[in-house]
Each structure stands twice: as C-alpha cells, then as structure tokens.
Amino acid sequence: MSVKIFLVEDDLSFGAVLKSYLEINDFDVTWVNDGQHALSTFKGGAFDICILDVMLPNVDGFTIGREIRDINTQIPILFLTAKTLKEDILTGYGIGADDYITKPFDTDVLIAKLNAIVQRRALTAVPEAEIYAIGKYEFNYQHRTIILDGNKQKLSPKETELLKLLCIHKNDLLPREKALKQIWGDDDYFTTRSMDVFVTKLRKYLREDENIEIRNIHGSGFMLID
Amino acid sequence: MSVKIFLVEDDLSFGAVLKSYLEINDFDVTWVNDGQHALSTFKGGAFDICILDVMLPNVDGFTIGREIRDINTQIPILFLTAKTLKEDILTGYGIGADDYITKPFDTDVLIAKLNAIVQRRALTAVPEAEIYAIGKYEFNYQHRTIILDGNKQKLSPKETELLKLLCIHKNDLLPREKALKQIWGDDDYFTTRSMDVFVTKLRKYLREDENIEIRNIHGSGFMLID
DNA sequence: AAATGAGTTTAACTTTTCATTAACCTCCGA
DNA sequence: TCGGAGGTTAATGAAAAGTTAAACTCATTT
C-alpha cells in the first residue's frame, strides 16, 4: 500500500511535474490547485503527508496548514516556499510544520525527506512476520514454527534457516554450495554432512503432507517440491 | 521542565557558542566534543533531541546517529553539516534524521526547528495512560503495576520496560538484541544474563494465568504468548 | 556517618537446546 | 560394480537459558 500525499500547489505546470515525479517514486498523490477547496478535499481522504505551497492566490498555505493541524495533530506537513524568507520559515515551524522546502529544490532531497518521514513511522510499528506456505503447512520464520492443522512443530535455528532457503527456491534448485555458504559460512566435508542431517530432519517434519518433498539433485543440491 | 538537548560538536569555540545560545533560549544542553565518548554519554542521560555534527575527527556523526537510532527509535535527530553536499543530506535522512542544518545557519531558524519538534512531540505524547491487557492481567505502564482480581503488583523500572516491549510484540518475537539495546543500551554477556533474571521475575508475576506464557526462542529472543 | 532498602548485577549451579561428528547403510552414475 | 554422494540415527559436547542467591549500587533515612 503506497503512501498518500496531499499536495496543494496553484502553479499548474509545476504542480503537474511534481505530481508525476512523486508518482514515479511510488507515492499516491492527490493534487489540489485551488487553495479554497483544499480543506474539503483534505477532509475527504485519508492522507499520510501534506505538501503545501505557501504562495497561493486566494488563501495562503499557512492558513491551510493551520486548519489541517487543527483537524489532525499528527500528520506531517511540508511547506513549499519560493522565497528564502526567514519570516516564512519561522511562520511554518510555528504552525507545526515538519519541514519546509525552498523552491527551486532538489527532488532527490524531497524524496529522501518523504521517505524519512514514512520510515520513522514504520520504525515504531512492529515488523510483520515472514510466513511461507509449504503444502498444507504454514512456516513462520520469526516464530521458528511449522503448523499443520493447529499442530505446532518447533524448529532449531539452522533448521529454520535451511527451510527458509528452500522456500525461497521453492520448486527450484537450491545449490548445496549456496546453502552452505549462507548458513554455515563454510563448505567442507563436515558442514556438508551436517547439512544432510538437517535435510533429514526437515523431511521428517514435513512428511505429513504427501504432496511435498525435499528432493536431492545428485551432486548439485536440493529442491523443495510443492 | 526544560527540553534536554544532546549536542555533539568537536569545534570548541563553535560548540561553546551554540551551547550558550541554546541555553539562552531555555534549552538544557549537554555538549560532548569527543565523538568517541558520545554514545556512553547519551546512554547516561534522558535526552529529548540530538544535534550531531557530521564532521567529527574520529567517528563520524552518521555512525553515532545510527547507533542512537538503534537504541531509541523515537528521539529526533538533527544533523549539522558544513557542506551542502547532497550525499550528506541523503545519508542523514536514510538514517532517520528529523532534519539537517547546513552551516553557517540562522540561529533563529534552528530555534524555530527545535521548538517545532518539541511542540509536535507535546501533541503526540499520549497523555492518557498506556494500559496493556495480558491475559487476565492488566498492565499499567505509567503506574508500573500489574493487576489481577484487584491484586496490585508493583514492578521495578527495568521489569516495566521489559514487559512493555514484550507487550508491544505480543504473540510475536521480541529479539533479545532489541530489548538489550533499548533497555540496557548494551549487549554483552552480563546484560544478557541480567535480562534472563528479569524474564524469570516476570514469569513469576504472571504465573497466575495459565493461558499466558513468556516463551524463549533459543538464540533469538522471547515471545509473550496470550 | 551508619543503616536501610529497593533495584540491579554478578555468580554459581542446573537444565535444555542445539549442532557436530561418527558410524553404518543405501543409492546413483560412470 | 565400484566409489563417491546422500540417508539416517545416535552420541557427544558446547552454548544458551532457567533459577536462586549473594553482592553491589545508590539514594534516603536515622
């Protein structure tokens, strides 16, 4: 799900360019070029970030910013200002802007700013678990479990890592060497034999579902078939 | 209670001036001029905002920023950069900076930025109590208590922090390393063992409800199961 | 200045979990 | 049919975690 941006910019050509540029960078942009209808549009949609031009013909951007801030105390607001006027900057921060950008600006910096704002919010949230489907089984990498009909089987760290690699390469060859390097960091006789032991263990865990199989490709590696 | 600023700046005269200026504007400033000792000082005090110079003689400001971000995902970080290098700016945002300031800068703008950050924080800060449900227990973070059938159990600060982290990750893995960094600020043999002691204590407090459990995931961390 | 006490760390001992290794066996391909 | 690769099982030892208690720290009280 992409980040929704609320953009208020009266300059038609600049607004169009900025909108396209943001969209290329995977943001979902709603662009309003009329300051007077900005607030009603804002109320209509659930936005993640606001970008407001300070210099608008009828209403000024700061007023809109203040009104948005009254409605939503959380949403990040960025002001666009053509002038480098200190006055503008101070007013913007006074309203509770997250940042201001002076035109002309570097678009990479803008994207970086936006991503930083999004990222910070993502840091607070708990990252969601990696879950793989293996036939009727459900494999949870973080929890290190495989579940079949509510029966939970715990896995050891190495079992988990190996099964994850097999899942990533599902129905495709997982070269022995790759697994050894990635999990064991080494590739000698003993680690090879150790890996075979783990394959046996995984086969045991997964034998309840007839349709899945860890097949050996003699001399090359293994393949998880589903 | 004034806002506590953590300032890392190696230039002695500039650092002194900046510190005084911030203090005149009612900020409580802790100034470190040696990048190498920055992190230990940071761990020692409860700060509200960090201002880090990017150009330091030994360690660079970005490294310190990254380490601070590991310990505290919330704290606002501002980078000071002498250069207007785009590289620096992008790196800073990548780390999760709240803002950057290019030297020489307007001190009024800096103060405005700081006040904007503080103000936003004040709005964000949840005045209402953080209360988590853990099975039949009720855990109040601010009061540092867990209640079962009206029986109140007081918790120590570390017990409280650990239980909160477990609650945030409820039914999901709390990586050992994450808890150690956030609560102990460090990650060695002794802090690890200390954490184990706290897990034992929490288990003792929570054992009245059969349906909840603090489960260990060998080699990765703990999981509060409800 | 000594005593207290809560909070935390360190130490010591026990239990659990896990990866490695060895041993023996089977399969596959040349 | 021979040799190497793979399948499988069990034993071993190392590392992580569980637990309890003693030691330490530091602010507050006496």
Side-chain angles (χ1 to χ4, degrees), chain A residues 180 186-194:
Chain A
L180 285 172
D186 209 338
D187 181 358
D188 58 20
Y189 171 77
F190 291 110
T191 52
T192 299
R193 301 306 313 184
S194 196

Side-chain angles (χ1 to χ4, degrees), chain A residues 144 155-158 184 190 193-194 197-198 201 218:
Chain A
R144 287 188 5 210
L155 301 181
S156 81
K158 286 242 160 80
W184 279 266
F190 291 110
R193 301 306 313 184
S194 196
V197 172
F198 280 94
K201 285 181 182 168
H218 201 91

Side-chain angles (χ1 to χ4, degrees), chain B residues 144 156-159 184 190 193-194 197-198 201 218:
Chain B
R144 290 188 0 212
S156 79
K158 285 239 159 80
E159 287 164 1
W184 280 266
F190 290 109
R193 298 318 327 268
S194 197
V197 172
F198 279 91
K201 285 181 182 170
H218 198 95

Side-chain angles (χ1 to χ4, degrees), chain A:
Chain A
M1 199 189 68
S2 61
V3 176
K4 293 185 75 179
I5 292 186
F6 181 60
L7 171 65
V8 183
E9 169 61 64
D10 64 302
D11 183 322
L12 293 181
S13 58
F14 179 72
V17 169
L18 184 53
K19 179 171 153 69
S20 313
Y21 187 76
L22 289 171
E23 283 172 346
I24 288 166
N25 284 276
D26 283 330
F27 291 100
D28 176 356
V29 182
T30 299
W31 169 31
V32 177
N33 57 48
D34 175 9
Q36 296 194 292
H37 299 119
L39 212 63
S40 56
T41 309
F42 177 78
K43 284 176 188 162
F47 298 99
D48 300 303
I49 301 176
C50 299
I51 303 178
L52 312 176
D53 193 345
V54 171
M55 298 296 287
L56 296 170
N58 301 311
V59 199
D60 82 303
F62 291 134
T63 305
I64 297 173
R66 213 173 280 117
E67 287 168 339
I68 287 175
R69 187 50 85 230
D70 283 346
I71 297 170
N72 187 331
T73 57
Q74 301 290 325
I75 195 163
I77 300 175
L78 272 81
F79 286 107
L80 286 181
T81 157
K83 306 173 289 181
T84 332
L85 272 184
K86 195 168 137 184
E87 286 295 309
D88 274 8
I89 295 170
L90 297 182
T91 308
Y93 280 126
I95 288 167
D98 273 64
D99 221 321
Y100 69 95
I101 300 168
T102 50
K103 290 196 276 188
F105 55 83
D106 189 313
T107 43
D108 284 348
V109 172
L110 172 61
I111 298 295
K113 256 181 222 267
L114 293 174
N115 280 325
I117 289 171
V118 172
Q119 198 189 358
R120 184 133 16 84
R121 191 171 315 156
L123 280 177
T124 317
V126 178
E128 55 180 291
E130 278 175 69
I131 295 172
Y132 300 91
I134 309 172
K136 294 177 195 155
Y137 291 92
E138 189 180 292
F139 167 45
N140 187 315
Y141 175 69
Q142 273 76 19
H143 292 187
R144 287 188 5 210
T145 53
I146 48 177
I147 302 176
L148 176 68
D149 311 327
N151 289 23
K152 210 176 259 183
Q153 171 63 52
K154 292 205 279 182
L155 301 181
S156 81
K158 286 242 160 80
E159 287 164 3
T160 309
E161 292 302 324
L162 183 56
L163 187 53
K164 181 182 172 180
L165 275 187
L166 285 165
C167 285
I168 289 170
H169 293 256
K170 191 154 90 170
N171 295 318
D172 203 349
L173 174 70
L174 168 63
R176 191 173 208 119
E177 205 196 338
K178 180 171 184 177
L180 285 172
K181 279 211 174 141
Q182 213 156 317
I183 302 177
W184 279 266
D186 209 338
D187 181 358
D188 58 20
Y189 171 77
F190 291 110
T191 52
T192 299
R193 301 306 313 184
S194 196
M195 177 170 166
D196 289 332
V197 172
F198 280 94
V199 170
T200 298
K201 285 181 182 168
L202 290 180
R203 285 190 178 127
K204 230 178 238 173
Y205 296 142
L206 296 172
R207 67 181 160 200
E208 296 301 317
D209 187 340
E210 314 260 310
N211 300 318
I212 61 178
E213 181 193 348
I214 299 177
R215 187 178 298 165
N216 171 252
I217 313 290
H218 201 91
S220 327
F222 293 89
M223 210 167 142
L224 174 62
I225 297 182
D226 188 347

Side-chain angles (χ1 to χ4, degrees), chain B residues 11 15 34 49 58 68 75 84-85 92 94 159 167 201 209 212:
Chain B
D11 183 323
D34 175 9
I49 301 176
N58 302 311
I68 288 175
I75 195 163
T84 331
L85 273 184
E159 287 164 1
C167 285
K201 285 181 182 170
D209 187 340
I212 62 178

